[in-house]
């Protein structure tokens, strides 16, 4: 058994300051006060006015000028695996407003659900991406445990009251002397060609990095993140489908369903803006304006068009800006206008557009006593198409991990290799679209360096009958959870090709800190397997990974590992 944790760089040992206190209450949008407990951070989020103020203080101009500067001065970095250069990196993963991390956690608090602490797990799990000589930036307790255990050089900026690390960075940068950031500035002066590895290059992060670049006297900073236009505008579902008015520009009479679907896809913004031609499921974008009745009417119109054009009776309602399966409503009866009105009322409160898509009866595979739906994902990694697909491990609409999925694994589940090849081609088409002349006109040429593309494989009925269909269902164009599966796989793979691995998300018990979990995982892993503990944020979020000989074997092994951790009292809920 091999435990693949840590980089063991003794030169990088760092003395961390004691954690600062954080608020214990949070005020919801309706003014109600709730307990904010068990989080790694406080609930403080900078307002738009405060971000503007920080921007003017740090850069001498407002946020309106940030995107143009970022496009010129923060350049996406595509790493060449064959290059001899050792590229040092700053690991700095912040939750982001673009996927509404704070709103998701606050929604759980208000509803009495156990939240996942998105900011906490995003910061802490990123430490496993560090290599020898890298530096990690953070401030929360699980992150501190991770850097202490691995020996990664660390810059602890404090400011835990701020939910988003990006907000904390802006606040510290704007403070007199910005003393907490002096170690980072010193490190960067020694490594001026380093790359900043980010979760997302959102507005707040752009402001901070432009300030950092100016303080260092550099012309550019290299970032392992998508360009500003991709980060701000493309990391969402709304580009997959056309709106109803745009779809109605396609004359449907006499068209077979596949031809109709292909023509409708060309009315989507993905095709209209970038020429991105990809397989999709029937579905329509429902934009959100201020009027809830107008939004409800748009949802009803989308339902009618799915019924009229494709004869499908069930839909799936998906928010365009939420992550990890949040707020998805499957099995929506497209004929029930009262139910559609209820769904519209609930959806409109969240502030983003929605997609209404044909509901999929997913193809499935049975592994280790569990039935998994087949929702493959392909990835852009370092500006290139990553080898092979992964099987997303899903529990309902929620993502729980990934496993290596090669063409032979796909066929072993009884599915055609032609579908696998089509999905790989779609990933390539998406990357190519961001290198097109249209992308240059949109200000995002060659600025897609990382992302996940999620697919559905299954049956939707209606005019498609009982045959298998597949299509892109999400453009997750930022750093993502499968990065950790891929990173683990890369440490084990060689010239013979990729080794199968699987990762699994679970909720750790309150006593399951990182060191305890790593120690137990080591005891519970067979000698012929490799294992990794990616993160363990007690009572919130954990991830482990393990190697295998096939998709099914790796998934079986990771399910067994989580079950054994549960038996040891380190998993707080049922492992299945």
């Amino acid at each position: 058994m091999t435990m693949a944790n840590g980089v063991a760089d003794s030169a990088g040992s760092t003395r961390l300051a004691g954690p600062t206190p954080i608020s214990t209450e949070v005020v919801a949008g309706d003014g109600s006060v709730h307990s904010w407990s068990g989080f790694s951070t406080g609930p403080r989020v900078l307002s738009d006015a405060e971000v503007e103020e920080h921007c003017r203080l740090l850069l001498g101009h407002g946020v309106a000028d940030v995107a143009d500067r970022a496009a010129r001065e923060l350049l996406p970095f595509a790493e060449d695996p064959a290059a001899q250069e050792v590229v040092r990196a700053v690991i700095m993963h912040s939750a982001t407003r673009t996927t509404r991390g704070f709103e998701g956690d606050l929604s759980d608090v208000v509803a009495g659900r156990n939240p996942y602490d998105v900011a906490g797990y995003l910061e802490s799990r990123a430490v496993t991406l560090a290599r020898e000589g890298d530096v990690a930036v953070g401030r929360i307790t699980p992150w501190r445990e991770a850097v202490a255990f691995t020996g990664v050089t660390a810059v602890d900026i404090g400011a835990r009251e701020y939910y988003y690390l990006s907000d904390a960075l802006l606040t510290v940068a704007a403070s007199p002397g910005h003393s907490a950031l002096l170690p980072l500035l010193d490190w960067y002066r020694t490594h001026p060609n380093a790359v900043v590895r980010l979760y997302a290059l959102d507005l707040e992060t752009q402001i901070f990095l432009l300030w950092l670049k100016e303080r260092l006297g550099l012309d550019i900073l290299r970032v392992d993140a998508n360009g500003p236009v991709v980060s701000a505008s493309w990391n969402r579902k709304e580009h997959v489908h056309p709106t109803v008015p745009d779809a109605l520009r396609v004359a449907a009479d006499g068209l077979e369903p596949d031809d109709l679907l292909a023509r409708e896809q060309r009315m989507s913004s993905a095709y209209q803006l970038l020429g991105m031609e990809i397989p999709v499921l029937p579905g329509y974008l429902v934009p959100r304006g201020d009027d809830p009745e107008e939004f409800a009417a748009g949802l009803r119109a989308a339902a009618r068009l799915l019924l009229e054009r494709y004869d499908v009776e069930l839909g799936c309602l998906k928010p365009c800006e939420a992550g990890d399966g949040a707020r998805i409503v499957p099995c929506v009866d497209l004929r029930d206008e009262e139910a559609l009105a209820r769904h519209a009322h609930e959806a409109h409160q969240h502030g983003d557009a929605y997609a209404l898509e044909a509901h999929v009866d997913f193809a499935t595979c049975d592994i280790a006593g569990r039935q998994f739906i087949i929702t493959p994902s392909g990835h852009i990694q370092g500006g290139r198409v990553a080898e092979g697909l992964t099987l997303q491990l899903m529990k309902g609409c929620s993502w729980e991990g990934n496993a290596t999925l090669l063409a032979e694994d796909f066929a072993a589940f009884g599915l055609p290799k032609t579908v696998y090849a089509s999905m790989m081609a779609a990933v390539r088409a998406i990357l190519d679209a961001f290198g097109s002349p249209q992308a240059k006109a949109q200000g995002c040429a060659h600025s897609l360096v990382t992302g996940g593309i999620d697919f559905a494989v299954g049956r939707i009925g209606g005019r498609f009958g009982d045959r298998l269909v597949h299509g892109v269902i999400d453009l997750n164009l930022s750093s993502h959870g499968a990065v950790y599966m891929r990173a683990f796989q890369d440490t084990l793979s060689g010239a013979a090709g990729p080794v199968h691995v699987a990762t699994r998300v679970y909720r750790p018990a309150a006593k399951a800190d990182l060191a305890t979990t790593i120690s137990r995982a080591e005891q519970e892993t067979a000698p012929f397997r490799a294992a990794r503990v990616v993160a363990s944020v007690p009572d919130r979020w954990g991830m482990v990974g393990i190697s295998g000989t096939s998709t099914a074997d790796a998934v079986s092994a990771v399910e067994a590992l989580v079950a054994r951790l549960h038996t040891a009292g380190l998993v707080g809920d049922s492992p299945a």
Side-chain angles (χ1 to χ4, degrees):
M1 182 278 305
T2 302
M3 284 300 297
N5 276 81
V7 296
D9 180 15
S10 59
S13 59
T14 305
R15 184 170 58 84
L16 301 176
T20 54
I22 59 177
S23 296
T24 57
E25 290 185 337
V26 62
V27 180
D30 62 1
S32 59
V33 179
H34 302 268
S35 173
W36 183 266
S37 62
F39 283 91
S40 304
T41 71
R44 177 87 160 84
V45 175
L46 292 180
S47 67
D48 290 345
E50 288 174 313
V51 173
E52 175 76 22
E53 181 182 351
H54 282 321
C55 184
R56 291 190 178 278
L57 177 65
L58 296 173
L59 301 181
H61 58 72
V63 298
D65 297 322
V66 168
D68 286 343
R69 281 196 59 190
R72 298 190 307 270
E73 301 172 38
L74 306 177
L75 300 189
F77 173 71
E79 189 167 1
D80 182 359
Q84 299 299 310
E85 178 189 12
V86 177
V87 180
R88 303 293 186 217
V90 177
I91 312 297
M92 196 173 73
H93 279 216
S94 172
T96 173
R97 289 167 174 78
T98 60
T99 53
R100 299 173 179 268
F102 174 71
E103 287 82 356
D105 275 339
L106 179 58
S107 176
D108 285 341
V109 167
V110 172
R113 297 185 295 265
N114 197 7
Y116 280 99
D117 188 7
V118 176
Y121 75 70
L122 286 180
E123 287 185 42
S124 58
R125 73 183 186 182
V127 176
T128 61
L129 300 177
R131 294 176 287 197
E132 185 173 345
D134 291 349
V135 62
V137 178
R139 72 269 158 74
I140 61 174
T141 298
W143 170 87
R144 291 153 52 86
E145 292 173 351
V147 296
F149 185 85
T150 60
V152 175
T153 301
V155 176
D156 187 339
I157 66 163
R160 293 198 311 141
E161 176 65 11
Y162 294 88
Y163 181 86
Y164 294 109
L165 175 61
S166 54
D167 282 0
L169 288 163
L170 289 180
T171 302
V172 174
S175 66
H178 46 264
S179 59
L181 289 168
L182 294 180
L184 177 63
L185 290 166
D186 290 341
W187 184 91
Y188 233 117
R189 291 185 180 103
T190 307
H191 305 92
N193 293 320
V195 176
V196 187
R197 301 199 186 279
L198 302 166
Y199 180 70
L201 188 60
D202 57 12
L203 171 65
E204 295 75 23
T205 304
Q206 291 171 38
I207 295 169
F208 174 74
L209 291 180
L210 288 171
W211 172 85
L212 180 66
K213 183 194 74 68
E214 288 185 353
R215 294 292 304 178
L216 294 167
L218 299 175
D219 293 328
I220 63 163
L221 275 187
R222 303 194 295 179
V223 293
D224 179 29
N226 298 324
V229 173
V230 177
S231 296
S233 303
W234 285 90
N235 185 28
R236 54 191 66 177
K237 299 178 180 72
E238 66 187 52
H239 300 289
V240 176
H241 299 295
T243 63
V244 168
D246 286 338
L248 287 172
R249 293 165 55 193
V250 175
D253 292 346
L255 291 179
E256 292 298 316
D258 296 284
D259 295 332
L260 173 59
L261 183 56
R263 294 192 187 190
E264 285 190 346
Q265 190 273 329
R266 296 187 192 108
M267 304 307 296
S268 69
S269 59
Y271 185 87
Q272 292 293 310
L273 297 179
L274 297 184
M276 189 186 295
E277 197 162 359
I278 52 177
V280 298
L281 305 177
Y284 304 103
L285 174 67
V286 184
R288 183 198 182 276
D290 292 334
D291 185 354
E293 293 305 318
E294 183 178 329
F295 180 78
L299 184 60
R300 290 194 298 271
R304 283 196 299 272
L305 206 57
L306 283 170
L307 282 163
E308 292 168 2
R309 291 194 160 184
Y310 297 102
D311 197 28
V312 294
E313 297 181 349
L314 293 177
C316 186
L317 186 61
K318 300 179 176 182
C320 288
E321 297 181 26
D324 290 340
R327 294 190 274 129
I328 292 177
V329 184
C331 296
V332 175
D333 188 342
L334 302 180
R335 300 160 299 180
D336 187 340
E337 295 210 351
E338 288 187 7
L340 289 169
R342 290 194 303 273
H343 292 313
H345 174 75
E346 169 64 24
H348 189 267
Q349 299 178 53
H350 294 284
D352 51 342
Y354 272 70
L356 183 65
E357 202 169 66
H359 177 80
V360 181
D361 180 12
F362 285 92
T364 61
C365 57
D366 294 313
I367 304 173
R370 286 187 63 183
Q371 185 176 80
F372 293 95
I373 62 173
I374 298 195
T375 55
S377 61
H379 301 103
I380 310 297
Q381 191 170 337
R384 295 170 176 77
V385 175
E387 184 175 1
L389 300 173
T390 74
L391 175 68
Q392 297 188 86
L393 307 182
M394 305 295 292
K395 184 176 183 180
C397 295
S398 297
W399 168 83
E400 285 193 333
N402 293 81
T404 309
L405 182 69
L406 303 181
E408 52 266 33
D409 301 304
F410 195 71
F413 294 139
L415 298 169
K417 286 188 176 182
T418 53
V419 172
Y420 188 95
S422 173
M423 291 186 287
M424 287 298 303
V427 179
R428 167 56 62 186
I430 290 168
L431 180 60
D432 289 347
F434 282 94
S436 67
Q438 297 100 309
K440 185 175 182 180
Q442 294 296 321
C444 58
H446 305 291
S447 60
L448 174 61
V449 298
T450 185
I453 295 89
D454 297 342
F455 296 88
V457 178
R459 293 168 174 79
I460 59 176
R463 294 183 65 194
F464 293 88
D466 193 44
R467 63 187 172 92
L468 199 71
V469 298
H470 68 281
V472 173
I473 55 175
D474 194 7
L475 300 175
N476 183 16
L477 303 186
S478 69
S479 184
H480 47 83
V483 166
Y484 299 92
M485 188 222 86
R486 295 275 188 183
F488 180 36
Q489 179 177 269
D490 288 346
T491 66
L492 304 176
S493 298
V499 171
H500 284 81
V501 300
T503 53
R504 173 74 145 75
V505 171
Y506 60 96
R507 190 182 291 275
K511 67 177 183 179
D513 61 20
L514 182 64
T516 301
T517 305
I518 290 174
S519 175
R520 191 68 191 198
E522 182 175 7
Q523 297 173 43
E524 298 292 352
T525 302
F528 56 87
R529 297 190 189 274
R532 169 175 284 187
V533 179
V534 174
S536 184
V537 182
D539 198 36
R540 292 299 186 234
W541 194 91
M543 176 189 276
V544 293
I546 200 164
S547 63
T549 58
S550 65
T551 301
D553 180 63
V555 173
S556 295
V558 82
E559 289 291 308
L561 176 57
V562 173
R564 289 193 290 270
L565 292 175
H566 181 260
T567 300
L570 298 180
V571 175
D573 56 5
S574 171

